């Protein structure tokens, strides 16, 4: 899993049926690179989260037929930016 | 998922049966690197899209027997190049 | 598999059901990059471990429905930092 | 999928049964990095091809029990080196 | 598949049941980066091998329940260091 921070919501109205109507978030890693994660836990902008990729992302989404390759798996209780920008 | 922009169509007449007759697009990421994605949503050149990789790409294609490792999952409603070239 | 070293525990109280109540560890690779691994072997801080990614991480977790993309697969008997920082 | 160019054949007489007797090719990407792909389409040295990775590589091989993580999925009709060395 | 060279054995007595008692090897790539591969073919130190990653690694291991993400798939008949350090 990777440690990422939630930057914003992402709206994609036109999408494949496999993504259902799931919430998407723009997340950044420690070097500022932006990717998009499905969010089943209700993370808020600024939260440090663990993200899960590859086939496990579909299991983390609660239904393995959901077409996600990156899912927020949890909100980290204690983390700080100094830990992160290694 | 990654944020990519559609650059052009790609024609590959001679192909494995697993790709069927699906449309392929050349997409670029924020650093200009080019990859090829299957397009089930009908994205146009210049659109910012979210792309889905690994096994989820097959689910996003609408039939998990389709042999794609990268599929356009949706068209982003609002995005700009400044967000992207981080 | 990758060679990584255990840095600390990670607490994520709010998490997806797919992660169960499994222990998570922050692990670092030879260049200091931090990721998060599920730990079914009880590794201690400072241990050099082999980590398993992609779908095999779910098999290594002992139940392939567990939503992990990185699992500690074993503790290396003999390793030293000189081998590692290549 | 990635855009790669076929460099040469690769002979590996001693191999796991999961690779069967399938043809292997050395392929290069735009930065000259070499990898090995299974070739079910009969690509020739110098051809620009699309390669398929992760579990889709097994579907592209025509039998998902074939142990390949990279398979040539098609030959690109029109491509040039200027497009490629971005 | 990647082209790697066998560097040494790796001993990990304490391991997850999913790795069984399979032999592990430290392998290096063309830039000297070290990873760990399961070895079902009996490669020797110094051999140039092709390694298979993601879910295909489990198929290459001969039993897809084996928890490996990197498996030696074959020994390359002819290769030299000049080809490799590109």
């Amino acid at each position: 899993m990777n440690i990422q921070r939630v930057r914003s919501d992402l709206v994609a109205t036109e999408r494949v049926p496999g993504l259902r109507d799931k919430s998407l978030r723009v997340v950044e890693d420690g070097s500022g690179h932006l990717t998009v994660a499905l969010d089943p836990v209700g993370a808020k902008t600024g939260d440090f989260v663990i993200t899960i990729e590859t086939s496990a992302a579909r299991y983390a989404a609660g239904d393995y037929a959901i077409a996600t390759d990156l899912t927020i798996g949890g909100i980290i209780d204690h983390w700080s930016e100094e830990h992160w920008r290694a």
Side-chain angles (χ1 to χ4, degrees), chain A:
Chain A
M1 286 79 81
N2 282 295
I3 297 162
Q4 294 185 295
R5 186 161 53 177
V6 179
R7 278 278 294 264
S8 65
D9 291 340
L10 184 91
V11 182
T13 308
E14 203 169 336
R15 54 169 71 187
V16 293
L19 280 175
R20 317 277 170 83
D21 61 347
K22 299 293 178 186
S23 296
L24 300 175
R25 306 264 183 264
V26 178
V27 293
E28 64 172 333
D29 65 15
S31 60
H33 181 69
L34 304 180
T35 50
V36 177
L38 190 141
D39 180 11
V41 300
K44 294 183 302 296
T45 296
D47 280 348
F48 283 99
V49 295
I50 51 176
T51 54
I52 301 173
E53 58 188 350
T54 72
S55 57
R58 297 187 286 107
Y59 285 83
D63 174 347
Y64 61 79
I66 295 175
T68 175
D69 66 6
L70 193 71
T71 300
I72 295 177
I75 300 172
I76 301 174
D77 287 26
H78 303 291
W79 196 259
S80 72
E81 197 151 350
E82 304 94 83
H83 282 71
W84 195 44
R85 308 260 182 213

